[in-house]
């Protein structure tokens, strides 16, 4: 039985370079305004707030504190923060509603990836003793993973290019997407490697952005939107930190999270997958049993724009939007964190009957 | 939906020290975790989820270190969440872990909070100059000292109150084998003679910088049935407010007062001073004891220092505060909040050993963070809540 | 008097340099590994499923138990995957293109991640044999292996093992990052006004409080600020402390007075330095005025005011500033 529903989603336009600060306030104020307009709620009506962001993106300890200015936090609010993608902030907010302590919540995420050299900063997520001191960047880690699958015949460079083409063409109808439109796969495959075996089109762009979602208890959800997206399951799992010890060509944690969230072979209309690399979408589709019937990333997905710490939350929002618009009856959303899909969250939503 | 009952099944912590050169970051966490699981009589297979809390990643120079710690935390194949709410994080972590049980999502959750400050230097990490601002910032002490001055002015408290707290907490810490600082013979004169670091805060009135970890196993009512004396969670509360805003009360923040009011209401407590048997309150600089006594409602505004002066916050007084030695005796920042929550639980579970408050049945744990703007607190009791 | 600041096309920004040499103590398993490296030996750890992990895992991924069954591993093995680095980044093993590879060393069951020194990507193939090139003076960290190089199939010329060393219990890991910090547009206008010797705050349209420095959104109401308000460069010390303690990265030599200064007409104080009197003479309520640096030194920063000094006026009444404590 579903307790909690998504009733609104808003995002900042996904851009390569915003001129705003790293504390997210400029991006978040208009995002929150959109949520208030959509639901009729004000900041004072929200029972619980939770944010996802990283100090390392802003270069300042406690950087998430400044973002609170976007909310208006006096009188004091009940609020928390995770040092992870906003999808995990949504998980904590979902939990809060489930305890019955509150019946509305806003989860938000933000990141100004352009402030630093993102792929180098992410090397700091690796084992601090035996790997990070070599500074392997996040694109290289993904490249190592991609080649494992290519060598094993699990996917081809063309399969990867097809993901890029489809994603960036679908993004043409997404007004918030950073990259819209694509050349044909043949043309893409003729381009030089960026990080052999990855080409530029295989990698999500560097994106500044922010996103936020309003959650409400199932009882109250209809007050805020005509067709709430009921969360029928949400779960996450993490894998070992030892890259060499994992099977990087599959995603047992995505599969396990999916199973716990209710992915059981029944049909999805839409799946929004947080795959910042083309081959990772292929891994996730396999892990979640998503076949040709499902529309994958109709928003364009992360390959069209990947705001760090808001990207996973955006997948949940985009999937929820399809339900709230009436287009979809059942949707899956996925978020990832850590090197090479180490940590995965799956959220299953359905239209209310 | 209504909240299900949850209880502390067991707790563990490290020997907190300025430097723990004998362990890696993972080893530090495991020392606390292994003790907690033993105390709770659970095995890895019994743990459904792990919640980790830690303060800024800059302290250790690892981005999202829970990713690297997944194996050490026994979290492979399980859900893992990382909370970061500045200094209050240890408390917030325990509260998130409680929510996982109270919502019915999990049966047993492991909450861990840690900091290995010796990887870098806390004052450096807390004082990195931000462009376009005056670089007058001098760490946490430099931040709080002006507000301590304001409290002294407002309340008219005599100058030695801060030193009384320092003596009490350090002598209490000497009874606690896990505490970083053991100063059983420290005297008021000694504290008052110690160097002024950020006037009006003296060296001996200041928390140390510690490597340390804390862990709590929280279980459902079902899980608690197997536990001889669980620490039942009676109430939890979290509140936040902005670091600065026009007219903000930095000394007696509204967020703390609101959180406490909510906490007492949930726990059915109408007279905290009388009904709480032991309090573990986040006091990193000695003057925060009287300040928080007022903020939490144990004393009227301006009167908190009188409780301290009268010795009521000693073990044996009306309201023993920080029988464990508190933050003044051990301060691994990410863990300090959880240590407060954990020590409150140990009191009502009868497991506080040499710093046990006799007959303690209801205790509170409190943590705060940022510019006195994030508050997390809980009430735990020996009795199962109604 | 209201001053409308110059408009800026882009906000001001400046880098924050984060740099620290982190000192990491190792614990028993990693200490053994790093000590081995100092001796030009590679150790792996046998896990619960029988696999030998290289580098050794401190804790078993399945059982979570600490691993202490350490075995010697060859410093030669096969590439199981690789990727090419065309644009190198600071801190990486080379500043010219090279390959990263997963290398399964003989005796190991899990591959190690390291660099391979070859001139072009064409020289890399999955399955190729590679051998460690050790540095001349191994110190006990992963960089003791400078990189791997193709092993040409001839009998491996193993580097002479270094002498037994004292156990390595610590590594030092420099982490240096640069992050571009941007001021908000509101802060930019305020900084540009400072460059002209003016202090300009902004008023929140909802609560009507004047904030200096102005914020992108009012912290209590969550809305962007409105009206610009020019403020005099004098006001009151609400509260303060005297910083005696030196610390790493400090910019002002102690002892110094860090005080909250509430400018006349502002609704929130800001932190600044007090000079022009003994630290012991500073009081809550003391009236102060700005001591500006010479005009030719001005930039877009509050540091144009070198410090605040007492004006000599009678102290402000406690009631007049007690709401700002």
């Amino acid at each position: 039985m579903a307790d909690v529903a998504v009733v609104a989603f808003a995002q900042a336009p996904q851009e390569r370079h915003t001129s705003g600060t790293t504390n997210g306030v400029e991006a978040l104020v208009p995002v929150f305004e959109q949520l208030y307009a959509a639901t009729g709620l004000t900041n004072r009506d929200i029972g619980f707030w939770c944010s996802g962001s990283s100090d390392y993106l802003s270069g300042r300890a406690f950087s998430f504190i400044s973002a609170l200015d976007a909310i208006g936090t006096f009188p004091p609010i009940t609020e928390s923060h995770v040092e992870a993608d906003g999808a995990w902030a949504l998980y904590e907010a979902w939990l809060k509603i489930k305890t019955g302590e509150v019946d509305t919540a806003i989860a938000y995420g933000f990141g100004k990836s352009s402030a630093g050299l993102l792929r180098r900063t992410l090397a700091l997520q690796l084992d601090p003793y035996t790997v990070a001191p070599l500074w392997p960047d996040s694109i290289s880690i993904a490249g190592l993973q991609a080649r494992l699958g290519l060598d094993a015949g699990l996917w081809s460079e063309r399969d990867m290019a097809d993901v890029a083409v489809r994603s960036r063409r679908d993004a043409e109808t997404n007004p918030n997407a950073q990259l819209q439109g694509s050349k044909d796969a043949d043309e893409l495959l003729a381009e030089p490697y960026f990080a052999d075996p990855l080409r530029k089109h295989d990698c999500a762009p560097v994106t500044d952005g922010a996103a936020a979602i309003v959650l409400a208890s199932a009882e109250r959800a209809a007050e805020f939107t005509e067709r709430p997206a009921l969360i029928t399951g949400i779960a996450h799992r993490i894998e070992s930190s030892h890259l060499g010890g994992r099977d990087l060509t599959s995603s047992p944690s995505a599969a396990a999270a999916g199973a716990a969230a209710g992915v059981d072979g029944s049909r999805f209309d839409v799946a929004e997958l947080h795959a910042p690399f083309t081959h990772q979408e292929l891994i996730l589709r396999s892990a979640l049993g998503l076949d040709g019937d499902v529309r994958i990333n109709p928003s364009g997905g992360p390959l069209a724009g990947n705001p760090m710490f808001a990207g996973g939350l955006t997948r949940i929002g985009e999937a929820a939007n399809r339900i709230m618009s009436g287009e979809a009856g059942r949707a899956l959303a996925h978020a990832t964190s850590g090197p090479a899909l180490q940590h995965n969250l799956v959220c299953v939503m359905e239209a209310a009957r | 939906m209504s909240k299900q009952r949850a209880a502390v099944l067991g707790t563990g912590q490290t020997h907190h020290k300025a430097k723990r050169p004998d362990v890696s970051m993972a080893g530090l966490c495991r020392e606390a975790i292994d003790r907690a699981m033993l105390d709770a009589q659970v095995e890895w297979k019994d743990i459904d989820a792990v919640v980790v809390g830690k303060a800024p990643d800059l302290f250790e120079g690892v981005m999202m270190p829970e990713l690297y710690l997944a194996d050490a935390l026994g979290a492979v194949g399980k859900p893992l969440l990382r909370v970061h709410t500045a200094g209050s994080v240890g408390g917030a972590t325990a509260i998130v872990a409680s929510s996982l049980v109270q919502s019915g999502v999990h049966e047993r959750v492991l909450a861990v909070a840690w900091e290995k400050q010796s990887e870098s230097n806390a004052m450096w990490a807390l004082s990195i100059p931000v462009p376009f601002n005056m670089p007058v910032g001098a760490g946490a002490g430099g931040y709080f000292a002006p507000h301590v001055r304001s409290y002294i002015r407002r309340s008219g408290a005599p100058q030695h109150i801060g030193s009384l707290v320092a003596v009490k907490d350090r002598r209490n810490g000497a009874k606690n084998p896990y505490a970083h600082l053991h100063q059983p013979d420290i005297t008021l004169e000694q504290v008052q003679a110690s160097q002024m670091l950020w006037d009006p805060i003296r060296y001996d009135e200041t928390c140390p910088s510690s490597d340390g970890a804390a862990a709590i196993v929280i279980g459902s009512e079902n899980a608690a049935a197997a536990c001889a004396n669980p620490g039942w969670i009676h109430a939890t509360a979290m509140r936040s407010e902005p670091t600065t805003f026009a007219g903000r009360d930095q000394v007696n923040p509204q967020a703390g007062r609101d959180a406490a009011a909510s906490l007492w209401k949930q726990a059915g407590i109408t007279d905290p001073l009388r009904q709480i048997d032991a309090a573990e309150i986040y006091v990193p600089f000695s003057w925060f004891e009287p300040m928080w006594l007022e903020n939490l409602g144990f004393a009227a505004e301006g009167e908190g220092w009188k409780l301290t002066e009268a010795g009521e916050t000693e073990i044996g007084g009306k309201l023993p505060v920080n029988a464990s030695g508190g933050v003044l005796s051990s301060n691994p920042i990410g863990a300090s909040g959880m240590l407060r929550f954990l020590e409150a639980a140990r009191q009502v579970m009868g497991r506080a050993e040499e710093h046990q408050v006799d007959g303690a049945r209801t205790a509170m744990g409190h943590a705060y963070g940022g510019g006195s703007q994030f508050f997390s607190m809980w009430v735990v009791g020996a009795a199962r809540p109604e | 008097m209201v001053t409308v600041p110059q408009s800026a096309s882009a906000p001001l920004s400046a880098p924050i340099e984060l740099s620290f040499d982190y000192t990491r103590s190792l614990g028993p398993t990693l200490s053994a590994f790093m000590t081995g490296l100092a001796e030009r030996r590679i150790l792996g750890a046998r896990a619960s499923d029988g696999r030998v992990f290289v580098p050794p895992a401190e804790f078993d991924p399945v059982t979570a138990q600490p691993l202490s069954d350490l075995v010697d591993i060859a410093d030669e093995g096969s590439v199981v995957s690789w990727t090419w680095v065309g644009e190198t980044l600071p801190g990486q093993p080379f500043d010219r293109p090279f390959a990263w590879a997963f290398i399964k060393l003989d005796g190991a069951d899990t591959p190690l991640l390291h660099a391979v020194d070859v001139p072009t990507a064409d020289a890399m193939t999955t399955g190729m044999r590679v051998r460690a090139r050790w540095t001349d003076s191994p110190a006990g960290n992963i960089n003791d292996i400078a990189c791997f190089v193709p092993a040409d199939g001839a009998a491996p010329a193993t580097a002479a093992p270094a002498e037994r060393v004292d156990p390595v219990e610590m590594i030092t890991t420099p982490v240096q990052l640069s992050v571009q910090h941007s001021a908000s547009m509101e802060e930019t206008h305020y900084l540009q006004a400072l460059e002209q010797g003016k202090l300009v705050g902004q008023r929140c349209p909802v609560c009507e409080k004047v904030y200096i420095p102005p914020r992108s959104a009012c912290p209590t109401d969550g809305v962007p600020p409105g009206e610009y308000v020019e403020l005099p460069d004098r006001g009151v010390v609400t509260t303060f402390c005297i910083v005696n303690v030196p610390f790493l990265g400090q910019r002002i030599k102690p002892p110094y007075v860090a005080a909250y200064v509430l400018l006349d007409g502002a609704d929130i104080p800001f932190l600044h330095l007090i000079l022009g009197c003994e630290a012991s003479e500073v009081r809550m309520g003391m009236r102060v005025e700005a001591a500006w640096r010479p005009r030719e030194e001005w930039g877009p920063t509050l540091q144009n005011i070198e410090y605040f000094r007492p004006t000599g006026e009678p102290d402000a009444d406690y009631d007049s500033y007690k709401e700002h404590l």
Side-chain angles (χ1 to χ4, degrees):
Chain A
M1 198 194 104
D3 305 303
V4 185
V6 173
V7 298
F9 163 60
Q11 59 185 303
Q14 295 170 347
E15 293 175 35
R16 177 63 180 86
H17 287 284
T18 55
S19 56
T21 63
T22 51
N23 65 30
V25 174
E26 301 89 336
L28 288 167
V29 168
V31 166
F32 292 148
E33 279 168 7
Q34 286 176 60
L35 295 179
Y36 304 145
T39 56
L41 291 161
T42 69
N43 63 339
R44 312 242 176 265
D45 298 322
I46 304 297
F48 178 69
W49 297 78
C50 195
S51 62
S53 67
S54 162
D55 283 344
Y56 261 110
L57 241 62
S58 63
R60 301 173 52 191
F62 313 114
S63 52
F64 60 92
I65 295 179
S66 314
L68 293 178
D69 284 359
I71 299 175
T73 46
F74 198 81
I77 61 173
T78 306
E79 171 268 343
S80 185
H81 169 260
V82 295
E83 195 81 352
D85 189 283
W88 277 270
L90 183 139
Y91 184 83
E92 189 177 332
W94 168 84
L95 206 59
K96 203 74 169 173
I97 297 180
K98 269 188 82 73
T99 61
E101 280 175 47
V102 300
D103 51 24
T104 57
I106 288 186
Y108 61 102
F110 61 94
K112 189 176 177 186
S113 316
S114 67
L117 191 47
L118 180 64
R119 66 188 194 278
R120 181 172 182 268
T121 303
L122 291 175
L124 293 175
Q125 288 182 339
L126 298 165
D127 186 295
Y129 304 94
T130 59
V131 187
L134 297 168
W135 289 91
D137 58 281
S138 56
I139 308 256
S140 295
I141 300 293
L144 289 166
Q145 180 185 41
R147 188 180 302 283
L148 286 168
L150 288 165
D151 286 344
L154 296 171
W155 52 76
S156 66
E157 290 184 17
R158 178 163 295 270
D159 292 332
M160 291 156 62
D162 286 344
V163 171
V165 172
R166 190 207 73 230
S167 297
R168 295 191 175 121
R169 286 187 179 162
D170 283 345
E172 286 167 29
T173 56
N174 179 355
N176 291 302
Q178 179 181 345
L179 301 179
Q180 295 173 313
S182 176
K183 299 179 184 167
D184 287 341
D186 283 331
E187 286 179 79
L188 291 181
L189 288 168
E191 311 245 327
Y193 288 117
F194 172 57
D196 190 338
L198 299 175
R199 293 180 173 83
K200 276 241 145 104
H201 65 254
D202 290 312
C203 310
V206 174
T207 311
D208 291 349
I213 285 181
V214 182
L215 295 179
S217 65
E219 287 92 60
R220 292 199 63 196
E223 287 173 45
F224 310 118
T225 191
E226 268 187 61
R227 273 179 296 259
L230 295 176
I231 297 177
T232 56
I234 181 168
H236 61 110
R237 299 286 185 272
I238 195 166
E239 292 180 38
S240 169
S241 66
H242 301 288
L243 287 170
R246 290 171 52 199
D247 172 13
L248 296 175
T249 61
S250 68
S251 184
S253 56
V263 175
D264 57 4
S266 351
R267 227 189 136 273
F268 288 101
D269 301 305
V270 154
E272 285 276 339
L273 304 178
H274 189 202
F277 298 94
T278 49
H279 68 280
Q280 290 182 346
E281 182 186 294
L282 303 171
I283 293 175
L284 291 166
R285 274 158 52 179
S286 172
L288 294 166
L290 300 172
D291 59 20
D293 260 359
V294 191
R295 272 203 79 197
I296 308 279
N297 289 344
S299 65
L303 294 171
N306 188 31
M308 285 303 293
F309 300 96
L313 185 67
T314 300
R315 304 279 69 73
I316 298 176
E318 292 284 4
N321 261 359
R322 303 280 162 178
I323 293 179
M324 292 191 286
S325 67
E327 269 176 73
R330 191 162 188 258
L332 178 151
H334 156 269
T336 198
S337 178
L341 299 178
Q342 185 188 353
H343 191 184
N344 294 286
L345 180 149
V346 175
C347 178
V348 174
M349 293 172 282
E350 290 179 11
R353 289 183 203 293
Chain B
M1 303 152 279
S2 59
K3 249 168 152 168
Q4 302 189 21
R5 293 187 190 90
V8 173
L9 307 182
T11 70
Q13 60 187 289
T14 53
H15 288 283
H16 315 296
K17 289 195 173 26
K19 290 183 206 247
R20 284 294 306 267
D22 57 313
V23 289
S24 64
M25 290 178 267
L28 187 71
C29 291
R30 279 298 291 269
E31 187 174 301
I33 292 172
D34 290 347
R35 291 197 176 113
M37 288 174 61
L38 188 62
D39 195 45
Q41 303 269 276
V42 298
E43 291 168 24
W44 288 112
K45 63 174 175 50
D46 302 319
I47 302 292
D48 300 315
V50 183
V51 185
V52 185
K54 207 190 73 62
D57 289 350
L58 224 58
F59 284 148
E60 292 82 12
V62 183
M63 184 177 178
M64 300 157 70
E66 51 287 353
L67 295 168
Y68 133 72
L69 286 171
D71 309 79
L73 300 176
V76 174
K78 296 182 184 175
L80 175 66
L81 262 183
R82 154 73 186 293
V83 181
H84 170 23
T85 58
S88 71
V89 67
T93 304
I95 292 180
V96 173
S98 306
S99 298
L100 282 167
V101 174
Q102 291 165 330
S103 58
V105 174
H106 294 306
E107 281 284 297
R108 287 178 201 80
V109 177
L110 173 66
V112 188
W114 66 282
E115 208 74 62
K116 197 157 185 303
Q117 294 186 197
S118 69
E119 304 275 302
S120 73
N121 177 296
M123 271 216 72
W124 161 78
L126 293 172
S127 314
I128 295 174
V130 178
F132 314 121
N133 289 300
M134 271 298 285
V136 282
Y143 180 86
F144 292 117
H147 307 307
V148 165
R149 178 181 303 279
S150 299
Y151 172 73
I152 297 171
R153 171 72 173 80
R154 252 196 222 174
S155 63
Q159 290 295 324
H160 70 292
I161 298 296
S163 303
L164 286 176
V165 174
V167 170
K168 168 180 72 78
D169 283 4
R170 295 280 165 79
R171 287 194 183 171
N172 284 348
K175 300 193 182 92
N176 178 355
Y178 298 112
H180 174 168
L181 295 177
H182 287 143
Q183 297 177 324
D185 303 318
I186 192 171
T187 64
L188 186 65
E189 292 67 41
Q190 208 177 315
V191 176
Q192 294 194 291
S194 69
Q195 193 201 359
M196 270 299 186
L197 293 186
W198 313 271
D199 194 316
I201 298 178
R202 293 183 181 279
Y203 177 79
D204 279 335
E205 295 174 327
T206 299
C207 55
S209 166
S210 318
D211 286 355
I216 301 182
V217 179
I218 294 177
S220 65
E221 186 160 6
N222 224 25
C227 182
N229 42 5
W232 290 98
I233 298 165
H234 286 233
T236 65
M238 281 171 68
R239 291 292 187 278
S240 307
E241 67 183 48
T243 323
T244 63
F245 60 86
R248 182 179 184 221
D249 188 336
Q250 296 268 7
V251 173
N252 191 3
Q254 186 72 44
R257 285 182 269 164
D258 287 358
S262 168
L263 190 77
W264 301 137
K265 186 159 181 242
Q266 281 176 60
I269 289 180
T270 50
D271 184 351
L273 184 61
R274 193 180 51 81
Q275 292 174 275
I276 296 293
D277 301 321
E280 285 279 333
I281 300 178
Y282 200 112
V283 173
F285 303 98
S286 57
W287 280 94
F288 277 94
E289 178 175 290
M291 287 160 72
W292 291 150
L293 287 173
E294 296 172 26
N295 189 251
L296 293 169
F298 290 111
E301 191 157 17
E303 311 270 293
W305 60 271
K306 295 180 184 174
L307 278 177
T308 304
E309 193 181 39
E312 300 294 7
T313 58
E314 295 267 14
I315 298 174
K318 267 193 201 150
L319 178 75
V321 173
N322 294 334
S324 66
V327 180
L328 278 173
S329 297
S330 313
N331 189 24
I333 292 179
S336 285
M338 188 173 287
L339 288 170
R340 306 284 68 72
F341 277 47
L342 171 164
E343 289 288 351
R346 289 178 81 195
Q347 290 290 344
V348 306
M349 293 164 86
R351 298 186 201 179
E353 297 175 21
E354 283 186 64
H355 59 273
Q356 178 72 50
V357 170
D358 285 335
R361 290 194 51 84
T362 311
M364 77 109 53
H366 158 279
Y368 85 97
S372 300
Q373 65 197 125
F374 302 117
F375 294 88
S376 57
M377 45 192 87
W378 79 1
V379 172
V380 284
R384 201 190 72 155
E386 293 310 308
Chain C
M1 186 188 75
V2 172
T3 308
V4 177
Q6 301 171 313
S7 65
S9 54
L12 292 169
S13 68
I16 297 181
E17 301 293 340
L18 297 175
S19 181
F20 203 93
D21 290 350
Y22 288 88
T23 51
R24 306 199 181 292
S25 56
L26 297 170
T29 310
L30 292 171
S31 175
F33 177 65
M34 301 298 178
T35 306
L37 291 178
E39 296 168 353
R40 297 203 183 97
R41 294 162 59 216
I42 300 178
L43 294 175
R46 193 179 305 279
S48 62
D49 60 0
R51 288 189 297 166
V52 174
F53 275 67
V54 179
E58 239 197 306
F59 293 94
D60 191 282
V62 174
T63 65
Q65 293 312 312
L67 296 181
S68 53
D69 183 7
L70 300 176
V71 297
D72 271 284
I73 303 293
D75 67 356
E76 181 172 326
S78 309
V79 167
V80 304
S81 184
W82 63 274
T83 184
W84 191 246
V85 183
E87 282 173 43
T88 64
L89 298 170
Q92 291 182 339
F94 296 103
D95 53 16
R96 49 169 166 80
F98 68 97
W100 289 115
F102 277 138
I103 299 160
K104 198 185 276 198
L105 297 171
D106 296 340
D109 293 298
T110 73
L112 167 81
L113 197 164
H114 217 294
V116 180
D117 185 9
V118 288
T120 64
D122 295 333
M124 292 298 299
T125 51
T126 300
M128 69 191 274
R129 298 280 302 171
V130 293
R131 177 189 315 130
R133 179 201 290 150
W134 296 89
T135 58
D136 292 329
S137 332
N141 64 63
I142 196 69
N143 293 92
D144 288 344
I145 300 171
C147 63
F148 282 79
V149 296
D152 50 20
T158 332
E163 287 169 16
R164 294 274 139 157
V165 303
D166 288 331
V168 173
E169 285 167 351
M170 188 86 90
I171 57 171
T172 300
T173 310
V175 175
Q176 175 272 325
L177 277 187
S178 184
V179 180
Q180 193 69 6
H181 175 87
S182 296
S184 63
M185 282 314 300
E186 292 79 12
E187 200 183 352
T188 297
H189 291 144
Y190 146 83
L191 292 168
Q192 289 178 321
L194 271 168
E195 195 159 22
Q196 305 302 314
K198 297 189 203 287
L199 288 154
V200 179
Q202 283 185 269
R203 190 189 300 280
C204 169
V206 175
C207 67
E208 299 188 2
K209 303 288 184 190
V210 176
Y211 277 83
I212 184 162
R215 315 251 277 258
S216 311
C218 176
T220 54
D221 301 297
V223 300
E227 184 199 347
Y228 294 99
V229 180
E230 187 172 347
L231 298 167
D233 63 352
R234 49 185 36 230
V236 151
V237 168
T238 55
T239 183
F240 66 96
C241 75
I242 306 170
V243 177
N244 274 335
V245 56
F247 57 88
L248 193 64
Q250 192 172 49
R251 298 282 177 88
I252 303 173
K253 193 170 176 314
Y256 63 86
V257 178
Y260 282 101
V261 175
L262 179 69
L263 295 177
D264 294 337
D267 290 300
I268 188 168
F270 54 75
L271 264 181
H272 212 290
L273 185 61
I274 307 294
L275 282 175
C277 65
E278 289 298 314
S280 55
E281 289 169 18
V282 179
R283 309 168 296 281
M284 290 171 69
M286 187 169 85
R287 296 277 313 160
V288 292
E289 65 189 0
W292 294 82
R293 291 183 190 278
R295 183 176 284 267
E296 56 271 20
E297 289 177 28
W298 290 357
T301 168
L302 187 55
Q303 293 184 56
N304 290 349
I305 297 174
E306 193 172 352
Y307 55 85
F308 280 82
R309 61 174 166 238
T311 62
E313 295 162 290
D315 287 357
D317 217 38
Y318 178 66
D319 284 340
S320 71
Y321 63 86
K322 68 179 182 191
E323 300 302 320
H324 295 285
L325 297 176

